[in-house]
Amino acid sequence: MKRIAIASILLGAMACATPPTTPAPDAVPVAVTTTQVPADEVFRATAPAPLEPRPYRFPRVERITLGNGLRVLVAENHSSPLASIRVVVRSGAEHDPLDRAGLASFTADMLDEGAGRMNAVQIAEAFGNLGTSVSAGSNWDRSVVNVDVLSSNLATAVALVADVVRRPTFTQDDIERLRKQRLATILQRKDNASMIASERFAAVVYEGTAYGKPIIGLEPAVERISRDDLLEFYGRHYVPNNTSVIITGDISTRETLNLVRGQFEEWEKGPIIRAIDVAPRQIATNRVYLVDRPQAVQSEIRVGAPGVERTSADFFPLLTMNTLLGGNFSSRINLNLRERHGYTYGARSEFAFRREPGPFMVSTPVRNEVTLPAVQEIFNELRRIRTGEITVEEMRNTKNYLIGVFPAMVESPSDLTNRLQDMEVYGLPENYFDHYRERIAAVTEADLQRVANKYLDPDRMAIVVVGKAEAIRAPLSELGYPIAVFDVEGRPLAR
């Protein structure tokens, strides 16, 4: 930057100077010698090679278990005057009864609607006075209360969080208000082609299991959920022996442990929670599930099958393989559909690593007229990744990307609490993130081919397409797979 600035000043001075006059006839010419600076020393035609990753060790974590079974994790990180608090209940939407889909997330959403002697407004004001806010929610594996606060306000924040977690009131008025909001959100999702596609894909692949329903629930189930249902779910899952309190940041370990003891030690333990076994439906052969949206001008495509659990021994090869296949902007699927063919603004693939085997899914929106070739190109890439034809450059770039983004995963107190969440929910070893980059670096081309062949079978995939059936059904029939047609509510339509 300094060189550029100096060059600009010199150029400006030269421009303002009086132009040189023509030399007099008797002037003695002066020889000017110029030195050719190698272009490589000034500009580079290619980006410089990445430096070696700096050594990293996950911060020291103090772990204790209180007499009531509550697990407490505290880690100091003095990079900023912040503290991050997570209360993690190790139960999520996987525990939803099939006729009460949405129960786990409804329960979590109710926590900050009223607790102790405070209503929702008073809770928001109390956290607002600390310069922060509280949020609560569920995913498949957990329910979490989140607060990030100035470390100087930690004691007050922990006390407020304890109220939210331990003493929610579940008033009927609050339940009905949230029910209306939730039903409105579900209604809006029915007009979102991307949501429709993902929900239909889950319903097909995980039919008859909790994973087959959306976390937010469906209209009949949400209308059916009662206060007794919420209290029962809360009472069964929100117990200290099913909960972890994680606090990181600019804190004192000893003082923080004492804060947690003071607020949570008297919380009474409950029965051990039974693990849920989500057994996905095995896909025997490729099949197209077409959801008709008569006015649609583009198609939402989902292609995939059941994947693997987060604790799989193949996690790192799968992470690397999927990143190369469709996990970032320069991946094969995106370069194919977006850059080479111009079918879409973006296409990606992912493994949803959960406690139980989550789905593998390729997703993209495309124009109606290119729906068939887009699906064909997805399958071309699924077959190609299984051949093991991976260039040295592809492998190097993929691993450099994964290793390069790792520091952003562990930088702030909030990042650390999120990593500790994963360790708690999935039972990862304490040194897991110390060796994260090493395990990515150790992945080979043979590993990628092995896991691609083991977990990606292009002949046993569900193909979900949401779009204008009149325009895309006939082209899709060229795939040669059976086609089932549904409306946006999931009801089968006549052929």
Side-chain angles (χ1 to χ4, degrees), residues 269-338:
K269 67 189 306 182
I272 295 174
I273 305 302
R274 181 179 60 86
I276 297 294
D277 180 17
V278 178
R281 183 173 67 87
Q282 295 304 309
I283 298 175
T285 186
N286 288 358
R287 186 179 181 92
V288 177
Y289 300 85
L290 176 57
V291 179
D292 185 26
R293 295 185 78 221
Q295 306 305 316
V297 297
Q298 67 177 24
S299 301
E300 277 285 346
I301 299 171
R302 302 290 184 271
V303 176
V308 300
E309 67 279 4
R310 176 62 177 82
T311 54
S312 167
D314 286 326
F315 174 81
F316 286 99
L318 282 167
L319 176 66
T320 307
M321 183 272 290
N322 182 70
T323 302
L324 189 153
L325 174 66
N328 67 13
F329 188 81
S330 60
S331 63
R332 287 181 174 183
I333 287 176
N334 194 58
L335 290 179
N336 183 330
L337 271 67
R338 175 190 162 103

Side-chain angles (χ1 to χ4, degrees), residues 6-20:
I6 293 170
S8 300
I9 293 170
L10 291 174
L11 288 172
M14 292 168 64
C16 295
T18 304

